[in-house]
Amino acid sequence: MSAAGSLLVVAPVAAMFLLIVATRPARDTVVAPLRLAVVRAALVTGSFAVLTVEVLGALRALTRPAFAGAWLLFLVAAAAAAGWRRRRDAARRADAVAAPPRPALIGATGGAAPVDAAGPATTAPTHAAGGTSARAGWSARLADRWRTAGRVDRLLAGTVGGLVLVELLIALLAEPNNFDSQTYHLPKVEHWVAQGALEFWPTAIHRQVTIPPGAEYLLLHLRLLSGGDRLHNLVQWAAGVGCLLLAARIAAQLGGGRRAQLLTAFVLATTPMVALQATSTQTDLVAAAWAGCVATLVLDGLRRRTGVGTLLGLGVATGLTAVTKTSGLIAVGPLLVLWGLAQLRLTRLGSAVDPGRAASDGAARSAGSPVGGVARTVGASALILVLAAVVVGPFLARVHAEFGHPLGPPRLRESIPMERHDPPSVLVNALRIAHTAFDTPLAPLRRAAADAIIGGAGLLGVDPQDRAITFGRELFPEPAWYPDEDRVAFPLAGSLALLGALFALVRPQRISAGRAGPLRAYAVVVVAAVLLHTVMIKWQPWGNRLLLYALVLAVPLAGLWLDAIFRRHVTRPAGAETAGTGPATRGRRSVATLAAVTVLAGSALAGVLALSYGFPRRLVGTGSVFTTSEWDTRFLRRPQWADEFRWAAEAVRDSGARRIGLVEQNDNWEYPWWLLLRGADGRSPELVALQSVLPERPPADPSSVDAIVCTGSRPACVKLVPAGWRVEYRDYVGYALPPG
C-alpha cells in the first residue's frame, strides 16, 4: 500500500472518531452514552459508505479520485460537526457555572443513571472520588474505572482486550483466504473497480450479482483507497469489536452492571466463530453488527418516546442489515415489532415526553394524546421503512430489473429458504440446526444425537435429507466442532444463551429486578428470531455462521444470567437460615457457581485455541501467519491449487493477451485471476465470462478473446475453446491460447 493510500485510509477512521464526539448523547440519563455514540457514528459512516457507492456507481465513477474526494468532504463535515458540538457543550458548561445552584430533586428524572464502560448507576464514576473533574476525557474515565475494578473484572476485560488485539494482528498479517471470498465476495469488488459501475455483468457465478453486497461495498472503499486487499480483513474485525460493544450495551440496558457487561463481552469474544470471523472477509459479523444496532436502539425506545434521531438510526440500521445479509432481518423484524408495541403502550399509558428529550431529539409534543401517539407511531414506522428502502432499494431494483423478482432468480430463492413448512419438517430442520450448532468433539455423543434425530424424522415421516429442507446436495450430519471459520459450532456460548433466555422468560426478576419487563420482552424476541430462523432457513453444514446474528443478540442474556449466579453466591442476606436459604440452598449455589466458572474457563480456552490453531488463519503450526508466504496463505483452503494458478497465469501473461476469457462453474475460485493478471501499474485485467447464468447478459464470444483461463471441469473448458487453439490443463486449472 502506497503512502497516499495510507493517508486516504485514515480519513474514514478519523471521521468515525469525530462523529463519536459529535453524536454523543446530551442527556445524563442515557445508558452507556459512549457506546451509543459509537453506534450512531457507525450508522452515519456505514450509510454514507453505502450511499456513496450507489451514487458514484450510478454516475459510473467508482474510481479512486472520486472516493478520495467523497471521504475528504465527509471528514470535513465530521470535523465541523464535532467542533460545533464542543462549542455547544462549552457554552452549556459556562451557563451551568453562572446559574445559581438548585436543590437536588431525588428521582426527578425517573431515568437510569449514565452507564459507560462501568455499568449502571452504582458503578458510574463521580469524578470527585477519582480526583478527576467532570470534564475529564474518556481515556481518563476508562483509566479510573480500570483502577477501581476488581481482579475478576480486570481478568475478564483483559482477556477480551487481548483477544481483540490478537485478532487485529492476524487480520493485518493474513491475506484474504476465505473460500466464498475467492468465489464471489472479492471478485464482485474487482468487477466494480474494472467497470467503474455497479451494473451486472455476465457470469457463471450467480452469487456475484444476486447476494446482497453491503459488506462488499465497505471492501470497495478500502480497495480503491488503498489500491489492494491488505486491509480487507479489517472490516470484519471492526464489526467484531462493534458486536462486543453492542452486546455489552444491551446487557446494560437490561439492567446489567459492570460484571454482567464484562461477562457478556467475554462470552461473545471467546466464541470461536466470532474470533475466527473477526479476521476474515466473510460478511456474517457485519450483518450481526447492524442487527445489533437495531436491537440497542429498540431497547432505548421501550421506556421513552423515540425521537427523530433514533428513528433515523433505526431506519438506517434496518437498511444496512438488509443490504448486507437478508437473514439478519429475521431478528430485525421482531425487534421492530417490539419497538412499535412499546411506543403504543406508552401512548396508552399517556406517557408524556420529558422536555429535555423533546428539545434534543425532536419528540412529538402530541405524545400525551392517544390518537396523536398512535399516528406518530404509525408515521415513525413508515419513516423507518422508507429509510431502509433508501439504503437497500437501489440494489433490489437492479435485481428486480435483471430477474423479475427483488429476491433474485428461482435458483437463489429456492436454495436457502425452506420449501416445506409443515410442523414435522420444521421440527426436523430445527433439530438438525441445533445438532450442528451445539456440536462437540465427542464423536459418540454426536453420532448418538444424530441417530436419534434421523430416527425421529423417520417416525414423523420426514426424510432428514429432503432437498426441500436441506441445502444443495449436503447430507446430515456433518461434524462442526473443529475451529473452522465457516462452520465451527458454539456449544458453550449457545448453551449459556439458551439458559439465560430460559430464566429471562421464567424468572426475569431474579436476573434483573429493575428491568424484568424489558428483559422478558427482549428474551421473547430473541427466541422468536431463532424459531423463525429454523422455519425459514434450510439446514446446511455452514449454517452456524448464518446464526451468528442471533448469537450476538442472545449472549447478553447469558451475561445477565451468569452475573445473577455470581451475585447470589456472594450475597448472603441476614437471616438466611430462616428465610429458606439454608446449607442445602447455599450448596446448590456453590455448585452452580463452580459450573459457571468451569464453563467460562472452557470458553476462554476455546477462544484461545481458535486463534492459535483455527482455520484458515492461525498463529502457530502449519499455515501460521508468521511463517507462511503471502501466496500460500491465500491458498490454505486448497494448497494444491496455488502452483496451478501461477502456472496458467504466467503462460497467459507471456502470450501478451489483453482480453482474457473466463470459464468456471458456480463454486470455482475467480479471485486469483484478478490478482495474477493485474497490470504492472495496478490496473485491473480485462476478464470476460464465456458463460452466463444471467438471461439478459450474454457471455462473450470465445473468438473475441486473446486467451482463455479455466477452473474446474476440463470438458466444460474444452467445449468453449475455439478450434485450433492449444489447451493445457492440470488438475483444477487450465488455459487455452490461439495458434502461433
Side-chain angles (χ1 to χ4, degrees):
M1 183 170 59
S2 65
S6 300
L7 291 175
L8 290 175
V9 169
V10 170
V13 179
M16 176 77 179
F17 280 104
L18 288 170
L19 286 173
I20 292 174
V21 174
T23 62
R24 71 183 186 274
R27 292 165 56 87
D28 294 334
T29 57
V30 173
V31 176
L34 176 55
R35 276 169 275 171
L36 179 57
V38 172
V39 170
R40 291 173 172 176
L43 290 174
V44 173
T45 305
S47 59
F48 170 79
V50 169
L51 294 177
T52 297
V53 172
E54 291 290 356
V55 172
L56 294 180
L59 298 175
R60 304 189 66 83
L62 298 180
T63 63
R64 189 181 195 186
F67 273 65
W71 277 111
L72 290 177
L73 289 175
F74 187 70
L75 179 61
V76 171
W84 174 82
R85 178 59 185 271
R86 290 176 66 88
R87 290 192 298 272
R88 191 181 73 167
D89 289 348
R92 284 183 174 179
R93 286 194 296 268
D95 292 342
V97 171
R102 293 181 300 175
L105 298 177
I106 299 177
T109 63
V115 182
D116 201 34
T122 55
T123 57
T126 62
H127 306 299
T132 59
S133 69
R135 289 178 287 181
W138 290 331
S139 59
R141 299 180 188 182
L142 291 175
D144 182 64
R145 291 184 179 113
W146 177 264
R147 182 181 58 81
T148 58
R151 286 180 296 178
V152 174
D153 293 345
R154 290 186 180 185
L155 177 62
L156 293 171
T159 301
V160 173
L163 289 172
V164 168
L165 291 177
V166 172
E167 290 162 6
L168 176 60
L169 176 65
I170 296 175
L172 291 172
L173 291 179
E175 287 71 27
N177 60 359
N178 173 263
F179 193 103
D180 284 347
S181 296
Q182 306 283 359
T183 299
Y184 69 96
H185 290 310
L186 301 186
K188 185 186 302 186
V189 174
E190 295 301 325
H191 277 286
W192 293 332
V193 173
Q195 63 189 24
L198 296 175
E199 63 185 26
F200 293 162
W201 52 90
T203 178
I205 304 174
H206 76 87
R207 291 176 294 174
Q208 291 183 0
V209 296
T210 56
I211 299 294
E216 290 90 338
Y217 281 175
L218 305 182
L219 293 177
L220 176 62
H221 286 269
L222 290 179
R223 168 67 175 86
L224 288 172
L225 295 179
S226 69
D229 63 7
R230 292 293 304 177
L231 302 180
H232 278 7
N233 292 332
L234 293 184
V235 171
Q236 280 265 106
W237 177 82
V241 174
C243 287
L244 296 178
L245 296 176
L246 286 162
R249 183 170 194 261
I250 290 171
Q253 291 172 291
L254 296 174
R258 174 188 297 184
R259 179 70 55 81
Q261 297 172 55
L262 288 174
L263 285 168
T264 296
F266 180 88
V267 172
L268 187 60
T270 55
T271 301
M273 176 68 77
V274 174
L276 291 169
Q277 286 229 5
T279 64
S280 170
T281 47
Q282 265 293 5
T283 63
D284 303 284
L285 275 177
V286 179
W290 297 136
C293 289
V294 175
T296 195
L297 294 178
V298 164
L299 288 176
D300 278 339
L302 295 189
R303 292 196 170 188
R304 59 167 57 97
R305 288 289 178 186
T306 299
V308 174
T310 302
L311 286 177
L312 294 176
L314 284 171
V316 167
T318 300
L320 289 172
T321 304
V323 81
T324 302
K325 211 174 191 72
T326 51
S327 58
L329 295 177
I330 297 174
V332 170
L335 284 167
L336 292 179
V337 170
L338 174 63
W339 169 84
L341 292 175
Q343 294 293 295
L344 291 175
R345 175 178 175 273
L346 291 175
T347 296
R348 182 175 60 83
L349 296 177
S351 300
V353 181
D354 86 63
R357 187 166 184 83
S360 63
D361 269 345
R365 300 181 182 277
S366 61
S369 165
V371 176
V374 171
R376 181 180 183 275
T377 301
V378 173
S381 302
L383 176 62
I384 291 172
L385 296 178
V386 168
L387 289 171
V390 169
V391 176
V392 72
F395 167 70
L396 295 180
R398 288 193 297 273
V399 174
H400 185 273
E402 191 72 33
F403 301 102
H405 195 288
L407 299 182
R411 180 178 185 177
L412 177 64
R413 301 198 305 270
E414 297 170 1
S415 61
I416 297 177
M418 286 276 285
E419 298 177 78
R420 290 181 56 179
H421 298 92
D422 55 287
S425 296
V426 171
L427 177 60
V428 171
N429 192 56
L431 291 174
R432 294 182 306 164
I433 289 175
H435 180 274
T436 304
F438 290 89
D439 191 21
T440 70
L442 302 176
L445 178 61
R446 180 191 312 119
R447 287 194 297 267
D451 290 343
I453 293 173
I454 293 173
L459 294 175
L460 294 173
V462 177
D463 179 4
Q465 316 300 349
D466 185 356
R467 298 303 100 190
I469 62 173
T470 305
F471 178 82
R473 301 179 180 178
E474 305 303 324
L475 297 177
F476 175 82
E478 181 73 21
W481 64 269
Y482 185 77
D484 183 302
E485 67 173 354
D486 284 337
R487 66 176 69 195
V488 62
F490 34 83
L492 297 179
S495 298
L496 291 174
L498 182 62
L499 290 170
L502 177 63
F503 278 90
L505 291 172
V506 177
R507 294 184 176 180
Q509 66 280 356
R510 297 191 62 180
I511 297 178
S512 179
R515 296 287 190 274
L519 176 60
R520 175 176 282 165
Y522 182 78
V524 168
V525 167
V526 171
V527 172
V530 174
L531 293 177
L532 285 173
H533 186 99
T534 64
V535 172
M536 301 174 67
I537 305 296
K538 293 177 180 177
W539 174 88
Q540 55 182 280
W542 313 279
N544 289 340
R545 66 181 182 83
L546 301 182
L547 271 170
L548 195 53
Y549 73 92
L551 181 69
V552 170
L553 298 181
V555 163
L557 301 175
L560 291 164
W561 176 64
L562 288 169
D563 180 57
I565 289 178
F566 294 137
R567 281 190 282 109
R568 287 198 296 270
H569 175 75
V570 300
T571 303
R572 183 181 178 183
E577 297 291 339
T578 59
T581 55
T585 301
R586 293 198 304 275
R588 288 195 296 271
R589 289 179 177 175
S590 298
V591 171
T593 302
L594 179 61
V597 171
T598 303
V599 171
L600 289 176
S603 184
L605 179 62
V608 172
L609 290 178
L611 289 178
S612 301
Y613 297 98
F615 195 73
R617 292 165 303 280
R618 57 176 53 167
L619 289 175
V620 297
T622 304
S624 167
V625 295
F626 296 114
T627 60
T628 308
S629 69
E630 172 188 343
W631 190 248
D632 289 337
T633 298
R634 296 182 184 276
F635 283 85
L636 283 174
R637 285 284 187 191
R638 298 291 186 271
Q640 68 275 19
W641 295 348
D643 290 337
E644 293 191 24
F645 271 98
R646 274 182 163 173
W647 159 76
E650 183 177 357
V652 171
R653 284 199 312 269
D654 291 344
S655 72
R658 294 177 177 270
R659 181 176 166 89
I660 303 163
L662 283 174
V663 179
E664 55 196 1
Q665 288 76 59
N666 185 56
D667 207 32
N668 288 176
W669 285 19
E670 180 183 311
Y671 186 59
W673 298 128
W674 291 97
L675 297 174
L676 291 167
L677 299 175
R678 186 175 295 171
D681 58 354
R683 184 173 301 176
S684 298
E686 186 180 0
L687 297 177
V688 295
L690 302 185
Q691 310 140 291
S692 179
V693 294
L694 278 66
E696 303 299 324
R697 308 278 175 175
D701 187 339
S703 63
S704 69
V705 301
D706 304 321
I708 296 174
V709 291
C710 308
T711 52
S713 169
R714 178 188 175 100
C717 178
V718 173
K719 181 180 179 180
L720 292 171
V721 173
W725 283 38
R726 175 171 58 93
V727 179
E728 298 288 343
Y729 224 96
R730 290 191 176 177
D731 181 53
Y732 179 75
V733 177
Y735 67 90
L737 295 172

